[in-house]
Amino acid sequence: MELPAQSGLAHYRNRAQARLPAAVWRYLADGDGNGNDAALAAVRLMARPLQDVRGGHTRLKLFGQVLEHPILLAPVAYQRLFHADGEVASAMAASAQGGQLLISSLASQPFADIVQAAASPGAALPWFQLYWQGDRPRTLRLLQRALAAGCSALVLTVDAPVKRVTLTLPEGVAAVNLEAVPLPDTQGSQVFDGWMTQAPTWDDLAWLRRQTTLPLLVKGLLHPDDAEAALAAGCDGLVVSNHGGRVLAGATLSLQALEQIAARVQGRVPLLFDSGIRSGRDVFVALAHGATAVLLGRPFVWGLASDGAMGVARVIRLLRDELELTMALTGCRQLEDIGVHSARR
Ligand code: FNR
């Protein structure tokens, strides 16, 4: 077997940059240089040779779903910007690789088409990423559309209430599953009296919990007290994330937040992690710091822009191969063997 090169993703990143219009590339790359990836890369790993790791695997069970590996596709808006096949291509790839994907509220294809593309015997249906839609009735209608399409878990993203438009969408690319949300006409602050009047609050989270019995996760918490409050509101899991460094400039590093939240949560619910994963080794580092699984953002989009579904599948497989190699070299036969002892900063 040919072992994956260290910088395995560089090929896809370069190819994506060469293929995408400059404005789309800038939109995708927004937040680069935030330090998340550097923090993950700075962690040192302890080699543990001579362990018998035959029969090892990366399988896990998450909210009752069996996944072949812990590398999920993060919710990413408007995927038809990056490839004509859009979210459907990503769904096919995630499913073919025995993984999972989160469908963004801002998907550029109908929910039902994306769910359909992921459907195969034994495959767990995609999760739905919810952006608050300004009020409860509109939010509920969106949720119901996603659930009617078959989504199997719900992830409320809370860290991006203020939307700065960074890209003019080309013709034919739109958030096709959304109703228009009118912005309030205000003489006051555009932030406090405008956008933030449409953002969810802790009360809305408690309300959302009552709307579905499906697993409910919150994405975008960094403070351990907020993690505690989300658990108190009845959430089944968290996605520790700083949105890839794209929203709050200079936000707490994702790995640092993971360490602090894992210390507080103490295994009561699964913790997912994103922002900065750039290799299978990074996946290992996240798991060693308390994550159950990770979400991949920009890297899978590089695969999508490079080669559609095939590119996404190759990126997932590349990271899984790197994860397996890292596990073997650190004496871990299964994900549960990856512990704090495996990684040191
Ligand atoms: C995102 N992200 C995002 N998150 C979300 O909850 N809903 C969304 O619609 C989007 N849209 C989106 C578009 C693009 C182009 C990017 C790059 C990211 C954030 C995403 O889910 C994830 O948190 C980060 O991308 C993870 O960081 P990395 O892996 O890109 O470093």
Side-chain angles (χ1 to χ4, degrees), residues 24 27-32 34 36-37 73-79 81-82 102-107 129-131 155-160 163 219-220 239-247 254 273-278 295-302:
V24 174
Y27 166 66
L28 179 61
D30 183 28
D32 270 359
N34 54 58
N36 289 325
D37 48 354
L73 302 188
V76 167
Y78 310 119
Q79 291 182 29
L81 276 175
F82 310 109
L102 281 70
I103 302 177
S104 169
S105 283
L106 299 171
Q129 177 268 319
L130 178 67
Y131 271 136
V155 179
L156 176 69
T157 299
V158 294
D159 60 3
K163 308 265 168 14
K219 175 173 180 279
V239 183
V240 179
S241 164
N242 65 17
H243 215 105
R246 294 165 68 84
V247 181
S254 54
F273 170 83
D274 78 25
S275 301
I277 297 284
R278 296 293 177 270
L295 312 186
L296 205 55
R298 276 160 283 206
F300 95 77
V301 182
W302 300 335

Side-chain angles (χ1 to χ4, degrees), residues 175-225:
V176 296
N177 300 285
L178 296 189
E179 303 166 35
V181 181
L183 250 190
D185 199 11
T186 174
Q187 301 298 316
S189 153
Q190 195 187 20
V191 175
F192 294 120
D193 309 313
W195 290 314
M196 291 310 288
T197 61
Q198 309 206 321
T201 63
W202 287 108
D203 283 346
D204 294 318
L205 177 62
W207 167 84
L208 185 63
R209 174 67 289 183
R210 297 195 294 274
Q211 307 310 310
T212 176
T213 54
L214 289 181
L216 170 64
L217 294 85
V218 175
K219 175 173 180 279
L221 299 179
L222 298 174
H223 196 296
D225 289 352

